[in-house]
């Protein structure tokens, strides 16, 4: 066994020492990457973790002996990051937490992730999955806002987490030109502080996400805006929540991302 593998097994023992009924583990090579898989004595999988360059990086999933999920999440350089979901042995969602650098920074509302409804957008041309308990309104327009959805929150709250979907025409521009105009318009506003931006794919469509902090009528908001290119149309999904204490937006950016990643164009 290579030294790297010995190191990996040591970390596995530390991270998953509760899995005392494990019988064996193995490494499955996929391309240049490796997946660590451990098993219970009954032969069912106990854990599956992506490995890259000798460290746990990527998907991580744990299972009960009955084969149901115990938890799912992501790791970076052998540390827990992002949303981790924990389940009962009948696969009911029991807890959702947000990790950063192997430390829980927020416990999230599990109901936002537990039950969602599929909403038809833009005269049934696209769909989006929204938490069932959110107040969602659909509009039928050729251009402009096609959906608003808001999480119910205490009456004393200054601003409730809100998601807005807008439809726009790309016209004669390329998607890159459209994005450049959008980013330039945002950066020119003194009330907006750009935080990060990145290209991505959603439903095999070209997309681009921008995260920023804005001062809206005296409220400090965190925003996650994703532009999705579908033919001559750009769908813009914007999630916003309070960020009056640094990091508060992280409590909702995860559910905004989950909603955004559920977007699908009907073929």
């Amino acid at each position: 066994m290579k030294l790297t593998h010995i190191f990996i097994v040591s970390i596995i023992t530390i991270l998953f020492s509760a899995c005392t009924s494990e019988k064996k583990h193995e490494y499955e090579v996929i391309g240049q990457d490796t997946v660590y898989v451990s098993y219970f004595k009954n032969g069912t999988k106990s854990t599956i973790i992506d490995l890259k360059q000798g460290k746990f990086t990527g998907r991580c999933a744990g299972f009960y002996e009955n084969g149901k999920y115990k938890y799912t999440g992501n790791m970076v350089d052998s540390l827990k990051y992002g949303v981790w979901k924990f389940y009962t042995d009948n696969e009911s969602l029991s807890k959702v937490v947000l990790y950063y650098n192997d430390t829980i920074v927020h416990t999230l509302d599990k109901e936002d992730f537990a039950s969602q409804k599929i909403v038809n957008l833009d005269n049934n041309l696209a769909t989006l999955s929204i938490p069932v308990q959110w107040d969602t309104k659909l509009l039928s327009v050729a251009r402009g806002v096609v959906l608003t959805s808001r999480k119910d929150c205490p009456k004393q709250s200054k601003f409730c987490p809100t998601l807005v979907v807008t439809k726009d025409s790309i016209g004669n521009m390329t998607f890159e030109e459209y994005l450049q105009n959008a980013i330039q318009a945002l950066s020119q506003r003194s009330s907006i502080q750009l935080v990060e931006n990145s290209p991505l794919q959603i439903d095999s469509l070209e997309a681009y996400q921008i995260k920023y902090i804005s001062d809206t009528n005296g409220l400090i908001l965190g925003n996650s805006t994703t532009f999705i290119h579908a033919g001559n149309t750009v769908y813009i999904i914007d999630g916003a929540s309070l960020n009056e204490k640094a990091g508060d937006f992280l409590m909702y950016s995860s559910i905004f991302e989950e909603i955004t990643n559920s977007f699908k164009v009907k073929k």
Side-chain angles (χ1 to χ4, degrees):
M1 181 180 288
K2 295 180 180 179
L3 288 176
T4 299
H5 285 179
I6 295 173
F7 170 71
I8 290 168
V9 173
S10 298
I11 296 182
I12 284 286
T13 303
I14 294 169
L15 288 175
F16 304 105
S17 56
C19 299
T20 55
S21 56
E22 288 181 8
K23 180 180 180 181
K24 65 174 184 177
H25 66 265
E26 62 183 30
Y27 301 94
E28 180 181 347
V29 178
I30 302 176
Q32 295 182 341
D33 297 323
T34 306
V35 177
Y36 174 92
V37 185
S38 63
Y39 297 85
F40 290 110
K41 290 180 180 179
N42 65 7
T44 61
K45 293 178 181 177
S46 170
T47 54
I48 301 175
I49 314 174
D50 287 341
L51 295 170
K52 293 183 179 178
Q53 298 180 345
K55 293 186 178 181
F56 302 142
T57 298
R59 301 166 302 160
C60 177
F63 303 88
Y64 290 98
E65 289 190 68
N66 63 7
K68 301 289 187 181
Y69 277 110
K70 188 174 184 179
Y71 55 81
T72 60
N74 283 278
M75 302 190 79
V76 178
D77 291 340
S78 301
L79 301 175
K80 298 184 188 73
Y81 276 87
V83 173
W84 280 64
K85 299 176 182 179
F86 296 85
Y87 302 87
T88 63
D89 58 7
N90 65 359
E91 222 167 73
S92 296
L93 190 64
S94 62
K95 182 172 66 173
V96 182
V97 298
L98 184 68
Y99 275 96
Y100 179 80
N101 199 31
D102 225 31
T103 301
I104 295 175
V105 292
H106 289 294
T107 297
L108 308 180
D109 185 352
K110 71 173 184 178
E111 297 306 320
D112 287 343
F113 298 85
S115 182
Q116 299 185 333
K117 58 189 174 185
I118 297 177
V119 177
N120 288 304
L121 301 172
D122 195 16
N123 295 318
N124 294 325
L125 293 178
T127 62
L128 199 66
S129 294
I130 304 285
V132 168
Q133 72 272 24
W134 287 33
D135 181 19
T136 302
K137 293 181 173 58
L138 288 164
L139 299 102
S140 180
V141 295
R143 185 174 176 180
V145 176
V146 296
L147 176 144
T148 63
S149 189
R150 190 181 73 166
K151 179 180 172 65
D152 189 25
C153 55
K155 291 182 179 180
Q156 65 269 26
S157 298
K158 298 177 183 178
F159 184 90
C160 295
T162 301
L163 185 115
V164 177
V165 180
T166 305
K167 175 186 177 182
D168 198 7
S169 173
I170 203 169
N172 295 323
M173 290 184 288
T174 65
F175 185 52
E176 290 74 17
E177 291 170 338
Y178 184 94
L179 287 174
Q180 286 176 2
N181 290 343
I183 294 172
Q184 184 177 17
L186 283 172
S187 60
Q188 288 177 345
R189 294 171 57 182
S190 59
S191 60
I192 285 180
Q193 175 190 348
L194 296 177
V195 176
E196 63 179 79
N197 51 74
S198 58
L200 60 158
Q201 276 198 335
I202 294 177
D203 191 32
S204 299
L205 297 171
E206 189 178 17
Y208 200 86
Q209 187 175 80
I210 303 171
K211 292 185 179 181
Y212 56 94
I213 306 300
S214 64
D215 185 338
T216 305
N217 298 323
L219 296 176
I220 306 302
L221 303 180
N223 294 72
S224 176
T225 302
T226 304
F227 301 83
I228 304 173
H229 183 205
N232 197 46
T233 299
V234 175
Y235 292 96
I236 306 164
I237 304 177
D238 180 72
S241 69
L242 282 173
N243 194 60
E244 295 196 330
K245 288 191 294 184
D248 279 359
F249 175 65
L250 292 173
M251 292 182 64
Y252 296 103
S253 64
S254 300
I255 187 61
F256 291 147
E257 288 186 14
E258 184 148 318
I259 295 171
T260 299
N261 288 331
S262 75
F263 177 88
K264 295 185 184 300
V265 171
K266 293 189 177 180
K267 304 297 192 279

